Amino acid sequence: MVPLSYYVIVSTVMFVVGLIGVLVRKNFLIILYAIELMLNAANINLVAFSRYYQSVNGQIISLFIITIAAAEAAIGLAIIIVLFRKKATTNVDEINLLKW
Amino acid sequence: MAQLLFFLYFAGMGLFSSVLTIGLRNPVYCTIALLSTFIHVAGLFVLLNAEFLAAIQIIIYAGAVLILYLFVLMLLNLKSTEPVVHRQLWIALFFGVVILAEILVALFKTPMLEGTTAANAVPLAMGNTEAIGLSLFNEYLLPFELVGIILLGGIIGALVLAKQPRPESSKTGGNGTHALEVPLPPSGNGQIGADVREESRSALHKVGSA
């Protein structure tokens, strides 16, 4: 059996990749993709611990995370469509109406 | 041994395509890379004896959420000429690596408790989907209903946000702010309206980028 720490390392690296994606990308849509990556990393972690503790709780919380991610995607895409209608851009640097 | 090989394949390809997701220039390619990430993560779930979650991952994430993203991406007609990365790229990379190192150090200092089992351990012979269903509708019934309410709120919020601001003028102008500035001819609205809209949008974009 693959050791538990391997899965945790994979999940950590994927989470950090998503974090860097949120920080460096300018496109709002790609930032949402990076958030999905971070949620997926959390899912890997939960399922791995659920497997190694022989308990199904982690998988259920992972199921809830998938549901919340779907709701988050719907809301985020609606916000993107509204912003694009107003400003014709998805660049987060140009969306600074609430900055100061 | 075979399990380790499969793990290495799924983990390596998942991480590689997640790097591609945030690294590629064209947003459509990013979406395809994210799809590849999801499918390989589903493979990891199968390796972890979570077949139900693997199916959900492919059906919900790859089938529904990602197609939704792709639809919006096709609607938006993004330009791929502007620079994609922020000017804070190197600072972000540096702190990302620092955070990664911190988490890994904390991880290797932690005893992993391998081999211990939880109090409500489920025998593996029971079947993954059955175990999830029983636990979901017994212990987790209240969170299950709450998630339904959250989804309802998400649906209503998305509808309210993405609704056209002036639905009665959606035949001629219907484009929010531009309809106020550019008076459209009342008849022959199809092609002319689209042209005026396109012009005002490109002018707006020029102003925005200048």
Side-chain angles (χ1 to χ4, degrees):
Chain A
M1 208 153 77
V2 186
L4 172 61
S5 49
Y6 287 12
Y7 286 100
V8 181
I9 288 170
V10 168
S11 140
T12 308
V13 174
M14 192 177 279
F15 182 85
V16 171
V17 167
L19 184 68
I20 292 176
V22 169
L23 289 177
V24 302
R25 290 299 294 242
K26 280 182 164 181
N27 194 338
F28 199 163
L29 212 57
I30 310 293
I31 292 180
L32 279 185
Y33 289 176
I35 293 174
E36 299 284 341
L37 277 182
M38 289 156 82
L39 289 171
N40 247 292
N43 277 348
I44 295 175
N45 220 338
L46 284 170
V47 176
F49 276 102
S50 149
R51 168 80 181 90
Y52 281 84
Y53 289 164
Q54 302 278 315
S55 159
V56 84
N57 293 352
Q59 297 186 24
I60 287 176
I61 294 175
S62 174
L63 204 60
F64 288 150
I65 288 181
I66 289 178
T67 319
I68 300 300
E72 172 252 328
I75 299 282
L77 288 175
I79 291 174
I80 287 180
I81 287 179
V82 172
L83 278 175
F84 195 79
R85 209 183 274 150
K86 295 276 185 204
K87 308 196 71 156
T89 180
T90 56
N91 187 346
V92 288
D93 283 347
E94 296 179 25
I95 306 166
N96 51 9
L97 206 60
L98 285 178
K99 205 169 176 182
W100 282 291
Chain B
M1 188 59 207
Q3 203 179 13
L4 186 63
L5 279 182
F6 274 106
F7 169 79
L8 287 179
Y9 167 70
F10 284 127
M13 282 302 291
L15 288 180
F16 177 65
S17 45
S18 71
V19 170
L20 283 188
T21 303
I22 66 161
L24 284 176
R25 180 169 285 269
N26 190 337
V28 180
Y29 295 164
C30 292
T31 313
I32 303 301
L34 190 62
L35 176 69
S36 161
T37 310
F38 285 163
I39 289 174
H40 286 100
V41 169
L44 282 183
F45 287 171
V46 170
L47 279 185
L48 286 166
N49 283 356
E51 303 93 2
F52 180 70
L53 264 182
I56 288 293
Q57 170 96 0
I58 289 184
I59 293 171
I60 304 288
Y61 256 134
V65 173
L66 216 60
I67 297 302
L68 192 66
Y69 276 123
L70 207 55
F71 267 130
V72 172
L73 195 58
M74 300 287 179
L75 279 179
L76 291 188
N77 185 20
L78 298 173
K79 294 178 181 58
S80 58
T81 52
E82 48 193 37
V84 289
V85 292
H86 225 270
R87 61 182 180 282
Q88 62 203 18
L89 169 68
W90 296 110
I91 300 177
L93 276 182
F94 172 72
F95 281 106
V97 171
V98 166
I99 287 172
L100 178 67
E102 272 183 28
I103 296 177
L104 287 182
V105 165
L107 212 62
F108 285 122
K109 296 282 183 193
T110 310
M112 269 299 166
L113 301 175
E114 299 218 21
T116 59
T117 53
N120 54 351
V122 188
L124 286 178
M126 191 177 176
N128 180 248
T129 310
E130 190 184 352
I132 285 184
L134 278 178
S135 185
L136 193 62
F137 288 102
N138 287 320
E139 294 174 71
Y140 289 92
L141 188 59
L142 184 64
F144 182 71
E145 304 288 347
L146 285 179
V147 156
I149 293 176
I150 287 175
L151 274 182
L152 179 68
I155 293 171
I156 294 173
L159 277 179
V160 169
L161 277 175
K163 201 162 69 75
Q164 291 275 346
R166 295 199 311 162
E168 71 271 12
S169 69
S170 66
K171 231 186 216 175
T172 54
N175 206 359
T177 57
H178 311 318
L180 296 175
E181 301 158 4
V182 186
L184 295 174
S187 64
N189 42 23
Q191 189 53 47
I192 301 170
D195 282 345
V196 169
R197 215 155 54 216
E198 193 52 48
E199 263 178 35
S200 65
R201 174 175 294 170
S202 60
L204 191 75
H205 190 264
K206 254 178 239 162
V207 169
S209 61

